[in-house]
Amino acid sequence: MLLAEVNEITQPRLPTIEQIRDYLEAEGWSARAPGPAGSMWFRNDGSRIGIPDLDGEDPFLVQGILERLARVEQKDPRFVTNYVRYYRTDVTLLQAASDQAPSETIPLGAASTVINAARAILRASGTTAWSERSHIAGNYSTQGDAVLERARMDHTLQGPFMIPVLVPLPRTQAPGITQQSNESLELFRAAPEPFERRVTRTLAQSLLAVQEVIVQPERMPTMRELHFAVDRGVSREFCTALSKILEEPSIGEFKAQFEWAPAVSAPETMPRTIELPADAREKIDHAAEILKRTRNEPRSIFSGGIVELRHVPEDPWGYITIATVRHGRSSEIRVRLSYNQYQEAVSWHSKHRAVIVEGSVQEGLNRRLVVDKPVSCRPIDEALLPDDDNVPIPKQTSARDRNGR
């Protein structure tokens, strides 16, 4: 874990008793009826740990619980401490590296800029996670703003100036994984990712899109290329916030590192670290100006995690179901794929890779939303620059055909 690595030379902060109980319950421990001093938790292998009832947080008692838990799990106590503390929290570590000699400080004004820009980046991602927009123009989504309100800033960490932005995930009773395989049907069903995770994932894939579409190429991006970035969450507001960080004279590089909450399966192929040099600001400013001047026409594009795999033996087609957002509502859309494509999608699902689909959405049996003939279906974290030989030029459609993220 990145947080464990960062805290190698510092004492990690302790989780709360409630966080410990949440972790134990989620990991299969069960509590007996509580007594006057607390409760005893048991695991199937016979292990047991006592959790006292506390009016406040006693660090010595909490440390003792974690040490016993570490012995049971045969792990380093420092690792267990961080793992439990952030078990249900996505963490984005934002680092502004000074262009001077290595230093643990930066000017106060630059620090203020980074914190304000971090909020702007997360807010823009919360909106484009709900519905992609090249220019938000003040029309932020209430769903994204609700995630922003629950987000926290953790204490800064020792080392280069770095702030942890925490996005807690809900503790919901999500439907369990179901699997069926027989002569008539192969079916796998899993719970969708929480919207809070979708926001942080959108932030990560937006930074990746900025890096690959806007910064790395030697030339300025075209509008067609910016379409690919917008489909992944980039907006004019997102670019503007990044530019404000990079224009600080004392900042030579901006870096974001992502630590995904263990409670929810994370995208295995999404880069854990994304870096942007200060000299990328001109390109990012240029992209922001294009996105402000030119509104992207709505297209039949949607994205999300695969929550269902369905195939009838010997059928040349397979079906995947994507949990997404459409017309301002959480939706599930079934996509028909050739069997070879379906097998690829099975691999994507096993790595928890979100996908992006282009195609006309129709209403099928029982009012189920379906895409029978997708124009494209691919992982959202694949190389983003369009390949003229393989990726069709995005079509412009009417607003009635729009499918949100």
Side-chain angles (χ1 to χ4, degrees):
M1 295 177 65
L2 286 172
L3 285 169
E5 295 167 3
V6 168
N7 283 315
E8 282 181 354
I9 58 176
T10 61
Q11 181 63 33
R13 283 176 288 279
L14 298 175
T16 64
I17 289 291
E18 186 55 37
Q19 287 174 324
I20 294 174
R21 291 195 185 102
D22 177 35
Y23 168 78
L24 292 175
E25 183 178 348
E27 292 297 310
W29 293 70
S30 58
R32 297 285 174 86
S39 57
M40 186 68 70
W41 289 71
F42 291 84
R43 200 167 68 172
N44 290 337
D45 63 4
S47 302
R48 59 181 183 175
I49 293 179
I51 307 294
D53 287 334
L54 299 175
D55 293 332
E57 297 295 329
D58 186 322
F60 295 103
L61 284 175
V62 171
Q63 187 66 51
I65 295 169
L66 293 168
E67 289 174 356
R68 290 194 294 276
L69 181 59
R71 286 196 296 271
V72 169
E73 297 190 345
Q74 298 181 340
K75 296 177 181 175
D76 182 84
R78 187 183 299 272
F79 175 87
V80 171
T81 298
N82 275 320
Y83 196 83
V84 173
R85 175 176 167 81
Y86 300 105
Y87 182 72
R88 209 175 290 279
T89 302
D90 283 336
V91 182
T92 305
L93 298 170
L94 300 178
Q95 178 181 334
S98 172
D99 58 356
Q100 307 298 322
S103 173
E104 294 186 358
T105 66
I106 63 172
L108 182 60
S112 175
T113 296
V114 173
I115 292 173
N116 289 332
R119 183 181 186 279
I121 289 168
L122 184 61
R123 190 181 191 195
S125 299
T127 291
T128 57
W130 191 253
S131 176
E132 75 278 1
R133 301 180 196 176
S134 59
H135 186 197
I136 298 172
N139 296 315
Y140 291 94
S141 74
T142 56
Q143 296 81 3
D145 279 355
V147 174
L148 182 70
E149 286 298 315
R150 294 191 293 271
R152 311 288 293 178
M153 175 181 162
D154 209 347
H155 294 282
T156 55
L157 302 175
Q158 186 168 338
F161 181 77
M162 184 183 297
I163 59 171
V165 178
L166 313 182
V167 174
L169 305 185
R171 186 180 177 184
T172 58
Q173 296 297 324
I177 295 174
T178 60
Q179 189 167 1
Q180 175 184 344
S181 181
N182 53 45
E183 294 181 356
S184 61
L185 180 65
E186 296 172 358
L187 172 67
F188 182 88
R189 176 83 191 180
E193 68 178 353
F195 181 68
E196 290 81 355
R197 161 62 60 80
R198 185 181 176 94
V199 170
T200 304
R201 175 172 60 76
T202 298
L203 192 159
Q205 68 200 28
S206 297
L207 282 173
L208 181 62
V210 168
Q211 181 189 64
E212 294 188 352
V213 175
I214 299 173
V215 175
Q216 288 181 348
E218 295 184 0
R219 56 178 174 76
M220 294 294 186
T222 65
M223 191 62 231
R224 177 172 180 263
E225 290 166 344
L226 285 178
H227 271 301
F228 284 78
V230 170
D231 289 340
R232 286 155 178 82
V234 176
S235 63
R236 177 248 178 183
E237 287 75 6
F238 189 91
C239 291
T240 299
L242 282 178
S243 177
K244 287 181 179 178
I245 296 175
L246 298 177
E247 73 180 359
E248 284 289 333
S250 61
I251 294 177
E253 180 184 64
F254 175 72
K255 180 187 297 184
Q257 301 176 72
F258 296 91
E259 184 66 43
W260 306 103
V264 177
S265 298
E268 294 180 13
T269 55
M270 185 73 71
R272 298 285 291 277
T273 302
I274 301 172
E275 302 177 13
L276 298 174
D279 59 12
R281 182 176 64 85
E282 182 180 350
K283 287 184 174 180
I284 294 173
D285 277 340
H286 178 74
E289 185 60 30
I290 294 176
L291 294 174
K292 180 181 180 180
R293 294 197 315 261
T294 308
R295 298 293 183 92
N296 275 7
E297 290 296 325
R299 301 187 286 133
S300 298
I301 295 277
F302 60 91
S303 69
I306 300 173
V307 294
E308 185 179 271
L309 302 163
R310 178 183 292 263
H311 177 250
V312 175
E314 308 303 326
D315 193 330
W317 304 97
Y319 298 85
I320 64 174
T321 299
I322 310 300
T324 186
V325 178
R326 182 173 185 266
H327 299 325
R329 297 180 60 184
S330 297
S331 304
E332 291 189 358
I333 302 176
R334 180 175 289 177
V335 181
R336 186 177 74 157
L337 301 173
S338 70
Y339 185 63
N340 287 340
Q341 291 176 311
Y342 171 79
Q343 288 181 307
E344 285 189 283
V346 172
S347 172
W348 303 336
H349 175 74
S350 69
K351 292 179 171 58
H352 311 290
R353 301 175 77 180
V355 298
I356 185 165
V357 179
E358 180 177 1
S360 178
V361 178
Q362 307 294 329
E363 194 171 286
L365 293 176
N366 300 319
R367 304 189 69 180
R368 174 180 288 276
L369 300 176
V370 297
V371 176
D372 279 331
K373 297 179 180 179
V375 176
S376 65
C377 177
R378 59 193 301 196
I380 202 166
D381 58 2
E382 274 190 352
L384 303 182
L385 281 177
D387 181 339
D388 291 337
D389 295 328
N390 298 314
V391 180
I393 297 175
K395 299 176 182 178
Q396 304 300 322
T397 59
S398 69
R400 289 179 299 174
D401 295 326
R402 180 173 187 176
N403 303 304
R405 291 182 68 77

